[in-house]
């Protein structure tokens, strides 16, 4: 039976993207998870993503969101936007004893030639997984510094900077992977946004594979089936790569963790082409939403999976 600790206020999950800023704070009330507060601000059409104007917009957007008195504090957990994160896979380095090569140095040595930016300017996190594989996640230090400066100017208290794949896994484990059989099941999570699809393959809480594909609802809804096919082609390639990396990691089901935000015809077409049993994971249906809450299920047009998962990071 899934158990919740009592009366625990989670940090605010802040999901900042080129196109939006979303904030969510959840509370464990002893019976389940409850939405404390939440909101979204969309980027104005005239603001170019990544520009100085974009940075100023994020600061103003976050200040506007935190003006909501329902947020209990200003403690946040955020993540670098998926488009600014490099993800790759290596065999786990065999390190020497404590007088020899450090694990960090061994990982950097193996991955530095693949980085799309200077290794000296990289912040690298690595996650050992199954079958002697390691997931390496990196971003440029200046992008983290820029995000930290934005948060500081918005008067927020930064608890940590997480990574989006782990946020999606948090969301899956807490809400949709609660059966005993789910602990060993390999699941494909798709978080389909406006201009990208974030992909995670995991065995319950263990990350096996992650990618971000620059295809979203804007492309799939305006082009007659071609972009859906291209997305499935990418997913099929990832499926093959997974089979080469892991001896016993066959995808058993597909979970659309973006919930009800996407036209179901798109979900149906993807699931049919992938030939996988599929389900829709709606975060907002998994928590108690007080009457008059800022995020109404019937009006929800945006995926909250990353923001929810960030808030749940210390649950």
């Amino acid at each position: 039976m899934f158990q919740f600790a009592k009366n625990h206020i989670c940090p605010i999950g802040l999901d900042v993207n080129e196109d939006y800023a979303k904030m969510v704070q959840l509370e464990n009330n002893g019976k389940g998870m409850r939405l404390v507060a939440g909101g979204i601000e969309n980027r104005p059409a005239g603001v170019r993503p990544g520009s100085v104007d974009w940075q100023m917009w994020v600061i103003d957007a976050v200040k506007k969101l935190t003006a909501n008195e329902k947020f209990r504090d200003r403690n946040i957990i955020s993540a670098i936007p998926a488009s600014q994160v490099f993800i790759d896979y290596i065999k786990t380095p065999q390190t020497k004893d404590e007088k020899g090569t450090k694990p960090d140095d061994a990982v950097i040595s193996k991955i530095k030639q693949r980085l799309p930016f200077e290794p000296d300017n990289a912040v690298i996190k690595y996650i050992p997984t199954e079958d002697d594989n390691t997931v390496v996640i990196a971003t440029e230090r200046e992008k983290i510094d820029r995000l930290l400066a934005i948060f500081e100017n918005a008067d927020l208290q930064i608890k940590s900077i997480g990574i989006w794949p782990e946020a999606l896994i948090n969301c899956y484990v807490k809400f949709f992977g609660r059966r005993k059989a789910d602990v060993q099941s390999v699941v494909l999570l798709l978080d389909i946004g406006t201009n990208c699809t974030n992909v995670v393959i995991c065995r319950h809480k263990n990350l096996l594979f992650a990618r971000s594909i620059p295809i979203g609802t804007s492309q799939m809804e305006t082009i007659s089936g071609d972009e859906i096919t291209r997305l499935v082609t990418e997913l099929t390639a990832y499926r093959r790569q997974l089979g080469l990396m892991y001896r016993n990691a066959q995808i058993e089901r597909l979970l659309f963790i973006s919930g009800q935000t996407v036209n179901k015809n798109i979900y149906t077409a993807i699931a049919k082409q992938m030939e996988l049993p599929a389900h829709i994971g709606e975060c907002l249906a998994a928590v108690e939403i007080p009457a008059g809450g800022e995020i109404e299920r019937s009006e929800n047009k945006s995926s909250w999976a990353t923001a929810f998962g960030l808030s749940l990071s210390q649950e």
Side-chain angles (χ1 to χ4, degrees), residues 24 26 33 35 171 175-176 257-261 281-289 294-305 308:
V24 163
L26 300 173
M33 300 305 297
L35 178 70
C171 194
F175 297 139
F176 311 114
I257 206 164
S258 37
Q260 304 292 337
T261 64
E282 177 54 76
C283 300
L284 296 179
V287 301
E288 176 191 349
I289 298 182
E294 295 85 355
I295 307 174
E296 296 290 345
R297 292 192 183 102
S298 61
E299 298 176 357
N300 177 42
K301 300 298 182 184
S302 183
S303 170
W304 291 90
F308 271 53

Side-chain angles (χ1 to χ4, degrees), residues 120-132:
D120 291 343
N121 190 37
V123 175
I124 298 174
K125 175 174 182 174
Y126 61 94
I127 305 170
T129 62
E130 301 175 8
D131 296 339
D132 295 326

